[in-house]
Amino acid sequence: LPQSFSFSKNSGLSQSGNVRYRFDDGTWKIQSAVSRSNSKAWRRDTARGFFNTVGVALTMPVRVNYTGIANGRLGDFEVFDNANQPVDAFDLNNYTLSTASGVPNTNVRATITSADLDVRRQIPWLPFPAAVQVGGMHRIQTNDDRRLDGRAYTYNGINGSRSAAPYLSDVYYGERKLASFENKPYVPWVSPHKVWDAFAANPSLFTQTVAQQRTTASNNILNSKYIEESVSALYLQAEGRWFHNRLSAVTGVRFEKTTDEGVGPLQDPDAVFVRTATGAFARTPTGARIRKPEAGTAGSLAEVPLIYQERAARAERSYHGYYPSLHLNFNATERLLLRAAYAKTYGRPNFSNIIPNTTVNQDDDLNADPEETLGRITFSNIGLKPWSADNYDVSVEYYTDQGGVVSGGLFLKEVKDFFGTYVKDATAEDLAALGLDPRYLGWRVTTKFNSGSARVRGAEINVRHSLLPFGAWGRHVIVFANATKLKLDGNDLADFTGFLPESVNWGFTIAKGRTTLITKWNYRGEQKAVSYPDMGPNAFRFPQPRTQLDVSLDFRIGKRTSLYANVRNATNGIQKEDAYGPDTPTYAREFYHGKFGRAFTVGVKGSF
């Protein structure tokens, strides 16, 4: 039964500057801008006097007995040792301290340099209002990431005792953190500050194993990455209005080119073996591969510089495309507006998905269980292409005499080269498709890939109106509701993380005199989130449907000041999340179940 927590302090600094120019004489309109921004973030936990995490667990193996389970909640629990004797899980004397670690000293630097120019010209000689516009931009963005010296230590104990009792936290002790178990004592958290102070006063209390030293050395290399991305774009746009300005159209095309150059760690577990002139492995008479003398023994520090090479993997890629669009607006009547649009768009991969980086973890005993995964390989897919989409939208808006609005729309997104998350035990066909060596057959492979075509269809509706039609009192009350429904189609591994299939918002606003009350309910349907390989191949996390109520009250004291009070999650709704794959039984799907309480904010605001 371990304690689980972490501490960190992050610092950052951003600097930016820009120069803009604007000219407009009614016929010509010229705009231009040049900008530059620099930002850096750093983290030095151990330099600030604390470990990031400490390993704390009960001294003896225990059995936990849960009682009163109902509606996904636990009523109570008891802890017993192997002799079936009760164990006080709230007595720190029953816990041992095993390890302490600090996160790597983080240095992340990013720069963005950009320039753009737009020129617009009215065309007065045409029989209808029209204009044409051309422009372009160029942007260079860099990201330099280094994370060094994240060390882990093994605790030796005081006079042979590894009891965690000397490190009881003074800050959090007395704060009840188990909200569901009000009958339990306070949790005896261990202070990472006290553990660090003990280490600083007597370093002999801690030692580093060879494995821990090796992890530090390899992580220094694996966490060193750099990428530069340059984007150039040109566009041509035209617009016009007809039928006494009732019909307007905007159309154009944009050309954009992106070039990425990145470097990252190179990891090659086979670099410790001798090769012949033909590139084959040199072997002993019995067929065993021969290690290089400088590689030392397997698992030693000596082999780290051979297996891991800092920023030795390089990748460069470039892609471009044309992206046309057309937008139409038609005022059918004074209150009825019709819209239709088409646009071709695209989405770039995140830097983390294309900077060269491969992590290989091979199981120690390959013959332990033939049903188990032989190893795990996680790599960034430098061949990942941007996705592109043809987007179609139609909508209707109607405005009432009382200032209300009712609108609805349909949309369709046809996506090519959609992103997918690949987490599965690789077959020979999979390895060929991903460009991996055949020796990884049966390994658990994790990467991003272009999963093919995908389709997103949806509808949305929005209503906002006062209750004035029901009487004069109704002018103080506005009701609103909007809903979106999506249907997602694509490869089973398609990454639909950014799409919420169902969402509904509704509520009302009451404004009378100096007081304004706003209530808003928000419903979110089940959503497919990030992959979760711990539950097996093709497994994902699924936040479950939930409804949240937010309430805000504002009372105006004077012309410039007011009092306000807000409460988020007023009904203290439960947040649940499941994690499952194709073979996960229903009873094992629940991953997370929690209550975060209500968040209250009270204050004074003003403008001067």
Side-chain angles (χ1 to χ4, degrees):
L1 190 66
Q3 290 190 8
S4 177
F5 54 87
S6 64
F7 283 71
S8 66
K9 289 184 178 180
N10 300 284
S11 303
L13 175 66
S14 297
Q15 300 169 307
S16 64
N18 66 79
V19 177
R20 295 182 177 276
Y21 170 79
R22 186 175 185 273
F23 171 82
D24 189 351
D25 65 358
T27 301
W28 289 93
K29 183 177 180 181
I30 303 173
Q31 298 182 98
S32 181
V34 178
S35 66
R36 166 80 177 189
S37 67
N38 298 298
S39 63
K40 63 178 181 178
W42 64 94
R43 183 170 171 175
R44 306 283 189 275
D45 287 357
T46 52
R48 291 172 172 172
F50 61 88
F51 282 109
N52 174 252
T53 59
V54 292
V56 181
L58 283 171
T59 304
M60 71 294 289
V62 296
R63 171 176 59 86
V64 181
N65 182 38
Y66 296 106
T67 61
I69 300 176
N71 300 320
R73 299 184 62 186
L74 303 177
D76 204 350
F77 66 91
E78 302 171 303
V79 182
F80 301 92
D81 62 17
N82 284 344
N84 212 35
Q85 296 299 310
V87 175
D88 186 357
F90 295 88
D91 183 355
L92 199 54
N93 290 289
N94 291 327
Y95 288 82
T96 58
L97 173 63
S98 57
T99 60
S101 61
V103 297
N105 293 330
T106 302
N107 291 283
V108 179
R109 296 177 179 271
T111 67
I112 300 177
T113 305
S114 65
D116 62 77
L117 173 66
D118 301 291
V119 179
R120 177 185 174 89
R121 175 70 160 88
Q122 298 287 348
I123 307 177
W125 59 81
L126 290 178
F128 55 88
V132 64
Q133 184 169 323
V134 297
M137 60 82 67
H138 184 69
R139 185 186 75 241
I140 299 177
Q141 181 174 353
T142 67
N143 196 83
D144 191 346
D145 190 347
R146 294 181 185 271
R147 307 185 186 201
L148 303 174
D149 210 24
R151 298 189 178 186
Y153 299 88
T154 297
Y155 181 58
N156 300 320
I158 301 174
N159 298 323
S161 172
R162 296 200 300 162
S163 172
Y167 308 108
L168 176 66
S169 173
D170 299 324
V171 176
Y172 291 97
Y173 186 71
E175 292 192 14
R176 194 179 299 278
K177 296 297 181 182
L178 297 180
S180 301
F181 307 102
E182 297 295 339
N183 61 320
K184 297 296 185 184
Y186 299 114
V187 177
W189 297 109
V190 166
S191 168
H193 292 82
K194 287 187 175 181
V195 177
W196 174 261
D197 290 342
F199 169 70
N202 185 8
S204 65
L205 291 176
F206 297 83
T207 55
Q208 272 195 307
T209 65
V210 173
Q212 290 170 332
Q213 295 177 54
R214 178 190 170 97
T215 298
T216 298
S218 60
N219 283 345
N220 288 347
I221 299 171
L222 292 174
N223 290 316
S224 179
K225 308 168 188 176
Y226 175 85
I227 191 170
E228 178 178 300
E229 180 176 82
S230 62
V231 180
S232 300
L234 297 171
Y235 75 89
L236 172 64
Q237 177 180 294
E239 60 183 80
R241 297 191 298 273
W242 300 269
F243 306 116
H244 304 290
N245 294 329
R246 292 174 60 189
L247 173 64
S248 64
V250 179
T251 186
V253 62
R254 178 183 179 92
F255 170 81
E256 190 160 312
K257 180 180 180 180
T258 302
T259 300
D260 292 312
E261 298 181 35
V263 292
L266 179 63
Q267 181 179 354
D268 182 9
D270 291 332
V272 299
F273 298 110
V274 177
R275 292 181 183 267
T276 66
T278 63
F281 290 112
R283 298 182 182 271
T284 66
T286 60
R289 287 187 288 185
I290 300 174
R291 291 179 65 87
K292 296 177 180 178
E294 65 270 25
T297 59
S300 66
L301 282 173
E303 68 176 6
V304 170
L306 296 176
I307 296 176
Y308 305 94
Q309 298 181 48
E310 184 176 5
R311 297 192 176 186
R314 298 180 175 273
E316 180 177 349
R317 49 177 302 183
S318 180
Y319 50 87
H320 63 272
Y322 292 89
Y323 305 96
S325 64
L326 172 64
H327 300 266
L328 301 173
N329 294 330
F330 180 62
N331 289 285
T333 68
E334 291 183 353
R335 296 186 177 86
L336 182 63
L337 176 62
L338 308 179
R339 301 180 188 271
Y342 162 79
K344 185 174 183 178
T345 58
Y346 78 104
R348 300 186 184 93
N350 293 330
F351 285 166
S352 60
N353 293 326
I354 56 177
I355 297 177
N357 186 21
T358 300
T359 302
V360 178
N361 295 303
Q362 182 171 334
D363 291 351
D364 294 332
D365 185 1
L366 297 181
N367 299 314
D369 185 347
E371 299 297 324
E372 292 294 328
T373 300
L374 300 179
R376 287 172 166 79
I377 177 170
T378 302
F379 70 99
S380 56
N381 184 359
I382 60 177
L384 190 65
K385 297 182 292 186
W387 58 257
S388 61
D390 292 305
N391 304 272
Y392 306 88
D393 298 86
V394 293
S395 64
V396 179
E397 298 176 14
Y398 181 77
Y399 298 87
T400 68
D401 292 336
Q402 293 81 21
V405 60
V406 179
S407 64
L410 301 173
F411 52 89
L412 169 65
K413 181 188 291 284
E414 296 279 5
V415 189
K416 298 179 181 178
D417 295 321
F418 196 60
F419 297 154
T421 302
Y422 183 101
V423 184
K424 61 183 295 189
D425 296 337
T427 64
E429 292 78 10
D430 295 330
L431 296 177
L434 294 171
L436 293 176
D437 193 281
R439 70 176 179 270
Y440 296 122
L441 180 66
W443 284 47
R444 178 69 51 79
V445 177
T446 301
T447 190
K448 288 280 189 180
F449 75 115
N450 293 110
S451 64
S453 299
R455 172 179 290 177
V456 181
R457 289 174 287 179
E460 56 188 1
I461 187 170
N462 175 63
V463 178
R464 183 179 182 87
H465 208 286
S466 72
L467 298 185
L468 182 59
F470 296 95
W473 60 271
R475 69 178 184 274
H476 302 294
V477 183
I478 296 177
V479 296
F480 59 88
N482 58 76
T484 302
K485 173 69 175 180
L486 302 180
K487 184 176 182 181
L488 312 175
D489 298 307
N491 186 290
D492 289 341
L493 299 178
D495 186 359
F496 287 113
T497 304
F499 296 91
L500 183 61
E502 295 178 347
S503 65
V504 184
N505 297 286
W506 70 96
F508 59 85
T509 299
I510 300 177
K512 185 175 183 180
R514 299 184 177 186
T515 304
T516 301
L517 172 67
I518 301 176
T519 64
K520 181 180 179 180
W521 284 265
N522 169 251
Y523 168 80
R524 297 170 59 92
E526 183 183 68
Q527 184 178 12
K528 183 180 180 181
V530 298
S531 64
Y532 195 66
D534 288 352
M535 296 294 290
N538 301 342
F540 292 82
R541 288 168 54 174
F542 295 87
Q544 295 301 291
R546 71 175 187 268
T547 301
Q548 178 173 308
L549 169 63
D550 299 333
V551 181
S552 66
L553 179 65
D554 190 288
F555 179 76
R556 191 173 67 256
I557 301 174
K559 293 182 177 180
R560 297 176 179 266
T561 58
S562 60
L563 300 174
Y564 68 89
N566 303 323
V567 55
R568 291 182 56 83
N569 192 25
T571 57
N572 195 18
I574 297 174
Q575 296 189 22
K576 295 177 59 179
E577 187 171 322
D578 288 351
Y580 58 87
D583 301 324
T584 309
T586 303
Y587 65 82
R589 292 185 172 189
E590 185 166 338
F591 171 78
Y592 178 82
H593 184 110
K595 282 189 175 182
F596 288 89
R598 305 167 180 85
F600 293 89
T601 305
V602 179
V604 180
K605 60 183 178 181
S607 59
F608 306 95

